[in-house]
Amino acid sequence: MKVAVACDHAGFALKETVVNKIKALGHEVIDCGCPDTQRVDFPDYAAKAGALLTGRQAERAVLICGSGIGMCIAANKIHGVYACVCHDAYSAHQGVEHDAMNALCLGALVIGQHVAEEVVERFLAAHYFNEGNYKKRVDKILALENNF
């Protein structure tokens, strides 16, 4: 699987851990930046990863900022990106399975490295159920996206 990874300056310290975990799981990383701890604006990097998702050059994305919230808000403004802050393994896989989440947002100032690795692993191992009530609900989310 191709996974876009993006961060801002506050997320930079956790990015290496996330990239290494994704590679160790056998996935390909597309590094969208940022390249160092110089102050940057997180929406710019959410947009880079979001463009790869919507253009189908990446199947998932991991977005990292200080809290995860800024990246999440910015990413969810991109048509076709379904992002959520998850700091636990259950939410990371359940968001994919039930809600077709394709972007995981992490708060580098909130989550530790070991938990982040577990969350990323569960996020990437999950598959959207795409049937029954799950499909019906996601279809309603898509209708909301298309109508507003």
Side-chain angles (χ1 to χ4, degrees):
M1 177 184 319
K2 291 183 180 179
V3 182
V5 177
C7 70
D8 70 357
H9 55 282
F12 183 76
L14 186 61
K15 184 174 89 166
E16 182 178 3
T17 297
V18 168
V19 166
N20 289 340
K21 183 63 175 181
I22 294 168
K23 289 179 179 178
L25 293 170
H27 303 291
E28 180 181 337
V29 172
I30 305 170
D31 190 340
C32 298
C34 77
D36 54 38
T37 57
Q38 294 285 326
R39 185 168 296 280
V40 296
D41 296 327
F42 61 82
D44 298 336
Y45 293 90
K48 289 179 182 190
L52 292 173
L53 281 174
T54 61
R56 299 184 192 267
Q57 291 107 333
E59 296 158 81
R60 302 267 174 92
V62 179
L63 312 173
I64 313 162
C65 64
S67 67
I69 295 169
M71 282 288 203
C72 184
I73 291 171
N76 279 313
K77 298 299 180 186
I78 302 168
H79 187 86
V81 175
Y82 308 103
C84 191
V85 177
C86 298
H87 291 140
D88 66 274
Y90 175 78
S91 298
H93 74 81
Q94 189 269 346
V96 175
E97 294 167 352
H98 293 202
D99 306 310
M101 178 176 76
N102 58 7
L104 171 66
C105 301
L106 300 172
L109 303 176
V110 178
I111 191 170
Q113 290 183 345
H114 296 294
V115 175
E117 289 176 328
E118 180 184 7
V119 169
V120 167
E121 183 172 354
R122 297 292 296 276
F123 168 66
L124 296 178
H127 301 280
Y128 171 49
F129 290 156
N130 198 23
E131 62 185 17
N133 285 333
Y134 305 110
K135 181 173 180 1
K136 179 180 81 172
R137 292 174 187 141
V138 168
D139 286 346
K140 287 183 177 188
I141 292 169
L142 295 172
L144 287 171
E145 182 178 47
N146 290 326
N147 290 327
F148 285 95

